[in-house]
């Protein structure tokens, strides 16, 4: 009897296992990797993934095996490498195997993807007009095809030729009908753009260093640290050329879909066989892209984090551009970080991996400069030796004291007016706070902070302030405890409010908003950026998506509103996020011949993140931030695990978290490694859709030991516990 072990595509922790099915005679061709339809739980049928197929000579089962009902695709969907990768991912992130397998599909369901084909007609036999005196339609079609090679049947139908005429000529042996697969690709006609300058010495040195590893086909991890405008993309391209010349393939990762179009434009001029993968494409487009990659028709894959999970083989290079970006972390199970997965894939393939950024994450910079786990490559100058933009920091407390209650400082208003008068363009970034709401005095800039850890207190709906790190709770003050001012309020301004202000205060300016609302449609980012690049608008403003990666030559001015807002998020990465945002946004200005100017608006102008961000001094910020991370045992000195306990009963959720905390502390007491357990504390969103949520945060210098202990206590099987390894935040 031929049997198959099938992973049911039911993403429930309690049934995270494979199930045995009988393989019917009609499906004897099955092997590991096929997607199939199987009966499951009575009469219900679901899709699943074949993990193994084997012959059993003397079956001895206590029950009658059910048969696999059907297959979904025309070929095995998962390669052996994909199955191995999914298994490792599930084991590392403690998630159901079905969830990990789903990452490697265009969609999460078992929908059959129908390839699209187009038919072509071709003249294959000479003909004479005497032959078709009574068939003028056939003669007309033959004349239409004569000397034209293959012609699409769609084009033939458009010329009003009937299907019967086509069929008659095919049966008569005059024409041949062939069928060809059509690949749906929204980027097929996307133009490429080559740069017309030579690499400078720093760029050449970086290229040569990585190419040595490429030539030897061995793993190498690199941090390419280059100031904004230093030409990191051209370094990627030159190394990718070397990889493709050797017959190996390349993955280029970008954090935001908004950056895809520019990256495609830069690479397509050199690599016409590239393929794009991201979530805004249709399932059919992603399926066609997978097919091209599987069959070796694509040498370069560009996309967001999902581009890692394609059936690519013979991989020689992975580039993770803007590696510091939080978008590389998935916020639903499996909660993987693309940086960790990409490096693991590079090791498996003996490929080079480049982490590129003007503002690397502290963890990556530490690995390159302190621990030596990565090779450090530096591009300290802009590619064409343009100067970095000048940066002015405006204290919004002083603006308020001087009577300016506008969201724009007087300096920024003046800069915008001068820029528009000279024909330049401007970008305005509004650094919103996300879900966090903090309390701040507009008079002196004082933020209500935890007396123990110094993180900002979070305002809750019941009017209280809570620290999500230390679980300290206090009432919200009515006046500022620092200066006694009554101007103490919840902080935050939205992009729609800014848009209204700009249209009222600057009626002659053509303004364009870019945020989640305006980019919801497919290619929304591309349409907005293209219109701005064509100078149809004067001011582009929006959230963080306007701050990273864009290279628009006519932008000479940048304004950063609420630059220090992220400092008040109760997160150990708050300062890092603030510094990165200022540096990245400032880097959009002055990328051509005209020098750029940046206005940074803040309340906490003395904060190191603001000071070093305005100086665009990464090394200075790194040295100022690292001691605090070390003292509080945060990354890069530890790895984090966040556990979220949830229940419709608040007391049960809290008790479950407390019991687990006690178990973990008892286990860690026997360890020689350093582990810390913080919490439980209420989650940032303490009541979500009727469920109360409490957090535990584990800090550890031995992640494997923590994972082992969690598995021993079956935490990964509990539906009331969410596990997040290497979380971005602790709230």
């Amino acid at each position: 009897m031929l049997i198959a072990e099938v992973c049911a595509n039911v993403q429930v922790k309690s049934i995270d296992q494979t199930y045995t099915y009988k393989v019917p005679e009609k499906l004897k061709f099955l092997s590991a990797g096929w997607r199939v339809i199987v009966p499951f739980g009575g009469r219900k049928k679901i899709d699943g993934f074949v993990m193994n197929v084997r012959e059993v000579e003397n079956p001895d089962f206590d029950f009658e095996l059910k048969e696999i009902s059907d297959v979904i695709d025309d070929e095995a969907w998962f390669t052996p490498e994909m199955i191995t990768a999914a298994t490792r991912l599930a084991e590392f992130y403690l998630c159901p195997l079905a969830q990990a397998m789903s990452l490697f599909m265009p969609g999460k369901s078992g929908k059959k993807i129908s390839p699209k084909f187009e038919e072509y007609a071709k003249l294959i036999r000479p003909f004479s007009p005497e032959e078709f005196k009574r068939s003028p339609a056939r003669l007309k079609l033959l004349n239409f095809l004569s000397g034209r090679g293959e012609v699409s049947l769609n084009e033939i139908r458009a010329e009003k030729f009937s299907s019967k005429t086509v069929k008659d000529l095919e049966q008569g042996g005059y024409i041949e009908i062939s069928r060809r697969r059509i690949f749906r690709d929204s980027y097929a006609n996307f133009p490429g753009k080559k740069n017309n300058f030579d690499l400078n010495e720093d760029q050449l040195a970086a290229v040569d260093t990585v190419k040595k590893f490429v030539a030897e086909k061995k793993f190498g991890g690199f941090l390419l640290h280059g100031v904004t405008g230093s030409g990191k993309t051209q370094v990627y391209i030159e190394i990718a050329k070397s990889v493709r010349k050797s017959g190996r393939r390349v993955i280029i990762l970008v954090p935001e879909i908004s950056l895809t179009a520019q990256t495609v434009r830069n690479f397509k001029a050199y690599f016409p066989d590239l393929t794009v993968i991201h979530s805004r494409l249709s399932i059919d487009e992603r399926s066609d892209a997978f097919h091209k990659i599987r069959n070796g028709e694509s040498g370069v894959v560009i996309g967001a984090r999902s581009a890692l999970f394609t059936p690519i083989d013979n991989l020689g290079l992975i580039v993770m551009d803007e590696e510091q970006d939080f978008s590389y972390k998935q916020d639903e199970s499996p909660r993987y970080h693309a940086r960790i997965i990409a490096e693991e894939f590079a090791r498996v393939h003996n490929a080079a991996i480049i982490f590129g950024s003007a503002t690397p994450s502290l963890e990556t910079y530490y690995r390159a400069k302190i621990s030596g786990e990565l090779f450090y490559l530096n591009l300290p100058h802009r590619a064409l030796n343009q100067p970095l933009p000048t940066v002015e920091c405006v204290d919004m407390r002083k603006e308020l004291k001087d009577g300016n209650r506008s969201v724009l400082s007087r300096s920024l208003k003046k800069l915008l007016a001068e820029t528009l008068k000279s024909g330049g363009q401007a970008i305005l970034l509004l650094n919103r706070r996300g879900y966090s709401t903090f309390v701040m005095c507009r008079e002196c800039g004082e933020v209500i902070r935890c007396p123990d850890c110094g993180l900002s207190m979070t305002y809750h709906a019941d009017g209280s302030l809570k620290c999500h790190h230390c679980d300290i709770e206090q009432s919200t003050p009515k006046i500022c405890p620092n200066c006694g001012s009554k101007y103490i309020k919840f902080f935050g301004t939205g992009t729609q409010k800014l848009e209204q202000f700009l249209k009222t205060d600057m009626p002659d300016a053509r303004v364009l908003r870019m945020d989640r609302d305006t980019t919801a449609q497919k290619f929304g980012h591309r349409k907005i950026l293209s219109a701005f690049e064509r100078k149809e608008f004067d001011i582009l403003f929006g959230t963080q998506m306007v701050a990273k990666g864009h290279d628009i030559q006519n932008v000479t001015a940048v304004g950063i509103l609420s630059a220090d807002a992220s400092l008040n998020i109760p997160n150990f990465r708050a300062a890092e996020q603030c510094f990165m945002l200022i540096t990245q946004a400032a880097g959009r200005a002055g990328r051509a011949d005209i020098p750029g100017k940046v206005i940074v608006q803040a309340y906490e102008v003395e904060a190191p993140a603001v000071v070093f961000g305005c100086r665009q001094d990464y090394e200075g910020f790194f040295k100022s931030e690292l001691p605090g991370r070390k003292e509080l045992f945060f990354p890069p000195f530890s790895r984090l695990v966040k556990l979220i306990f949830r229940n419709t009963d608040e007391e049960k959720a809290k008790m479950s978290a407390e019991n687990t905390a006690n178990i973990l502390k008892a286990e860690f007491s026997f360890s020689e490694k350093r582990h810390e357990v913080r919490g439980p504390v209420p989650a940032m969103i303490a009541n979500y859709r009727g469920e109360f949520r409490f957090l535990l945060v584990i800090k550890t210098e031995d992640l494997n030991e923590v994972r082992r202990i969690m598995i021993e206590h079956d935490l990964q099987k509990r539906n009331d516990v969410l596990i997040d390894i290497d979380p971005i935040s602790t709230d």
Side-chain angles (χ1 to χ4, degrees):
M1 177 190 297
L2 192 62
I3 63 171
E5 302 297 330
V6 177
C7 171
N9 192 10
V10 180
Q11 300 180 16
V12 179
K13 294 180 180 181
S14 58
I15 57 173
D16 183 22
Q17 63 183 72
T18 58
Y19 295 85
T20 306
Y21 288 88
K22 181 180 178 182
V23 179
E25 187 65 32
K26 65 177 182 178
L27 301 179
K28 291 283 188 180
F29 57 83
L30 279 182
S31 60
W34 281 80
R35 296 196 300 167
V36 293
I37 303 295
V38 294
F40 192 84
R43 296 183 178 181
K44 183 179 180 181
K45 289 190 176 181
I46 62 171
D47 63 295
F49 319 117
V50 177
M51 306 302 292
N52 185 32
V53 177
R54 57 192 172 92
E55 189 75 45
V56 179
E57 295 183 2
N58 299 306
D60 184 20
F61 295 100
D62 297 333
F63 51 89
E64 184 177 351
L65 290 181
K66 296 179 180 179
E67 283 192 348
I68 294 176
S69 303
D70 202 359
V71 296
I72 295 176
D73 309 299
D74 298 325
E75 59 182 343
W77 184 265
F78 298 92
T79 64
E81 292 79 10
M82 293 163 76
I83 294 175
T84 299
T87 303
R88 289 184 182 179
L89 191 150
E91 291 172 349
F92 183 83
Y93 286 103
L94 301 179
C95 68
L97 178 59
Q99 289 184 345
M101 297 288 284
S102 295
L103 292 172
F104 294 83
M105 298 194 304
K108 291 184 178 179
S109 72
K111 173 187 174 183
K112 182 177 178 64
I113 308 297
S114 300
K116 183 179 179 181
F117 292 93
E118 190 167 340
E119 292 183 305
Y120 292 81
K122 181 180 180 181
L123 184 65
I124 59 172
R125 173 179 163 185
F127 67 94
S128 168
E130 270 79 11
E131 292 181 72
F132 298 96
K133 287 181 179 179
R134 297 183 180 180
S135 305
R138 297 183 200 175
L139 179 60
K140 185 177 180 182
L141 177 54
L142 288 170
N143 286 326
F144 178 76
L145 294 174
S146 184
R148 299 191 60 187
E150 287 188 332
V151 180
S152 165
L153 257 60
N154 290 331
E155 185 179 349
I156 291 172
R157 295 186 190 103
E159 295 293 326
K160 307 299 183 184
F161 292 109
S162 69
S163 298
K164 184 178 184 305
T165 302
V166 174
K167 186 175 181 180
D168 288 344
L169 288 176
E170 182 188 20
Q171 290 178 341
Y174 288 93
I175 65 174
E176 179 181 74
I177 305 297
S178 59
R179 195 171 73 148
R180 187 185 310 158
R181 181 166 181 174
I182 302 299
F183 293 101
R184 291 153 283 199
D185 182 1
S186 297
Y187 292 88
N189 298 317
F190 203 80
K193 178 184 177 182
K194 282 191 176 182
N195 289 319
N196 56 359
F197 57 83
D198 296 327
L199 298 187
N200 60 34
E201 290 184 6
D202 296 320
Q203 290 172 309
L204 287 171
V207 169
D208 290 343
T209 300
V210 181
K211 282 173 68 173
K212 291 176 183 176
F213 285 79
V214 170
E216 296 176 11
K217 295 187 177 180
K218 67 179 184 180
F219 169 79
F222 304 86
L223 168 59
L224 181 61
H225 183 197
V227 298
T228 54
S230 59
K232 292 184 289 293
T233 299
Q234 202 61 35
V235 171
Y236 305 151
I237 288 171
E238 293 303 316
I239 297 169
K241 283 183 187 177
S242 177
V243 173
R244 292 298 297 131
K245 189 175 181 180
S246 70
R248 304 178 81 191
R249 301 205 272 180
V250 177
I251 294 177
I252 307 293
L253 299 178
V254 294
E256 301 271 4
I257 295 174
S258 61
L259 298 177
T260 306
Q262 178 172 293
T263 306
V264 170
R265 180 173 63 180
N266 288 330
F267 275 80
K268 199 162 190 178
Y270 303 90
F271 309 101
D273 63 340
L274 65 79
T275 296
V276 180
I277 292 282
H278 59 68
S279 59
R280 290 286 177 88
L281 301 178
S282 69
I283 290 180
D284 288 334
E285 282 183 302
R286 280 178 275 164
S287 176
D288 286 350
F290 272 47
H291 182 84
K292 289 171 65 177
I293 295 167
R294 185 191 308 276
N295 291 322
E297 299 172 39
S298 178
V300 175
V301 178
I302 294 175
R305 60 178 186 260
S306 59
L308 281 171
F309 304 107
T310 60
I312 195 166
D313 61 3
N314 202 16
L315 188 61
L317 174 68
I318 299 176
V319 171
M320 192 170 179
D321 196 28
E322 304 292 355
E323 68 84 30
Q324 82 289 344
D325 200 285
F326 295 164
S327 299
Y328 281 122
K329 172 72 173 180
Q330 176 153 295
D331 58 6
E332 62 180 12
S333 188
R335 293 174 174 81
Y336 69 90
H337 199 301
R339 184 166 58 222
I340 295 171
I341 300 299
E343 185 167 341
E344 175 64 19
F345 284 4
R347 290 182 186 277
V348 170
H349 287 274
N350 288 319
I353 182 166
I354 302 173
F355 301 108
S357 178
T359 56
S361 64
L362 259 70
E363 291 97 315
T364 301
Y365 192 77
Y366 185 90
R367 294 180 67 204
K369 293 289 283 187
I370 307 298
S371 70
E373 297 172 57
L374 301 173
F375 293 95
Y376 182 72
L377 309 173
N378 191 21
L379 303 180
H381 309 289
R382 285 190 157 181
L384 299 179
N385 290 320
Q386 310 103 318
L388 288 170
T390 58
V391 181
E392 176 187 346
C393 186
V394 176
D395 188 339
M396 295 303 287
R397 296 170 298 187
K398 188 174 186 304
E399 289 288 308
L400 182 65
K401 287 180 180 178
D402 292 345
N404 180 21
R405 299 182 182 275
S406 166
V407 295
L408 299 186
S409 63
R410 292 164 295 180
S411 294
L412 183 52
K413 286 182 180 179
K414 181 181 178 182
L415 175 62
L416 291 175
E418 292 173 349
T419 301
L420 270 57
K421 185 177 180 180
S422 65
Q425 291 173 289
I427 290 178
L428 296 181
L429 166 68
L430 176 59
N431 185 10
R432 295 195 299 176
R433 67 199 182 285
Y435 287 107
S436 299
T437 303
F438 56 93
V439 177
M440 185 186 74
C441 174
R442 288 196 68 189
E443 187 74 26
C444 69
E446 177 78 4
V447 173
I448 309 303
R449 299 184 181 277
C450 171
D452 274 8
C453 71
L455 292 177
S456 61
M457 304 285 279
T458 302
Y459 177 77
H460 281 248
D462 60 2
S464 66
L465 293 174
K466 296 180 182 178
C467 174
H468 286 217
H469 184 255
C470 302
D471 202 24
I472 290 176
E473 181 175 341
Q474 64 187 47
S475 60
T476 304
K478 296 188 185 313
I479 61 172
C480 175
N482 182 55
C483 71
S485 168
K486 63 181 180 180
Y487 293 109
I488 186 165
K489 59 186 291 186
F490 311 129
F491 194 76
T493 300
T495 49
Q496 291 181 344
K497 183 178 178 180
L498 175 60
E499 181 175 31
Q500 183 181 13
F501 171 83
L502 289 172
K503 288 182 176 179
T504 302
D505 205 59
M506 305 181 68
D508 296 331
R510 300 170 297 170
V511 297
L512 183 61
R513 176 160 59 98
M514 185 175 180
D515 57 20
R516 281 190 178 181
D517 295 330
T518 61
T519 59
Q521 293 183 344
K522 185 176 181 180
F523 299 119
H525 308 87
R526 173 178 161 189
K527 291 175 182 176
I528 288 173
L529 290 171
S530 295
F532 187 60
E533 196 166 9
R534 291 194 300 268
K535 303 181 183 179
E536 295 174 12
F537 294 88
D538 305 308
I539 301 174
L540 173 68
F541 70 96
T543 51
Q544 297 184 25
M545 61 179 68
V546 307
K548 292 166 288 191
H550 310 304
D551 186 6
I552 300 174
Q553 299 291 296
N554 199 46
V555 172
T556 58
V558 167
I560 307 173
L561 284 63
S562 307
D564 53 342
S566 58
L567 288 178
N568 303 304
I569 296 173
N571 182 358
F572 72 96
R573 299 185 196 273
E576 182 179 10
Q577 185 176 8
C578 174
F579 170 82
M580 289 175 174
L581 207 60
I582 292 173
T583 306
Q584 291 281 349
R588 301 313 108 208
R591 298 174 75 96
D593 297 331
I594 303 175
K597 184 169 184 181
V598 180
I599 302 292
V600 176
Q601 298 184 176
Y603 287 88
E604 298 182 67
V605 295
E606 306 88 359
V610 177
V611 173
F612 288 112
C614 291
R615 293 178 187 169
Q616 300 170 77
D617 179 3
Y618 183 91
E619 186 70 23
F621 172 73
F622 178 79
K623 289 178 179 178
S624 74
E625 181 72 5
L626 209 60
R629 293 281 187 95
K630 186 174 185 179
E631 181 180 355
L632 293 174
F633 195 39
F634 275 122
F637 302 99
S638 68
R639 299 282 289 272
L640 302 181
V641 178
K642 182 166 68 175
L643 303 178
I644 304 176
F645 296 81
R646 52 188 186 171
N647 198 299
T648 54
D649 185 307
E650 183 176 12
E651 192 57 34
K652 287 182 179 179
K654 184 177 182 181
M655 187 178 299
S656 179
E658 288 175 344
N659 290 339
T660 303
N662 291 333
I663 290 171
L664 292 172
K665 289 175 182 177
E667 290 276 11
F668 295 154
S669 67
F670 296 101
S671 175
E672 296 180 358
K673 300 291 186 178
R674 182 180 177 184
H675 308 285
E676 291 183 9
V677 179
R678 295 287 181 175
V681 297
M684 176 71 71
I685 305 176
N687 191 329
Y688 182 66
R689 295 181 178 177
E691 286 187 332
F692 294 92
R693 294 145 51 97
F694 285 83
L695 303 182
L696 282 183
V697 174
I698 305 168
K699 303 177 185 178
T700 178
E701 61 181 12
D702 190 341
L703 182 59
N704 289 332
E705 185 172 27
V706 173
R707 290 174 58 256
R708 176 184 58 78
I709 291 172
M710 290 195 295
I711 292 171
E712 287 178 357
H713 291 276
D714 290 332
L715 286 179
Q716 82 284 5
K717 295 182 179 179
R718 290 174 51 178
N719 290 322
D720 67 325
V721 180
L722 302 179
I723 300 175
D724 190 353
I725 294 175
D726 295 319
I728 292 297
S729 70
T730 55
D731 52 38

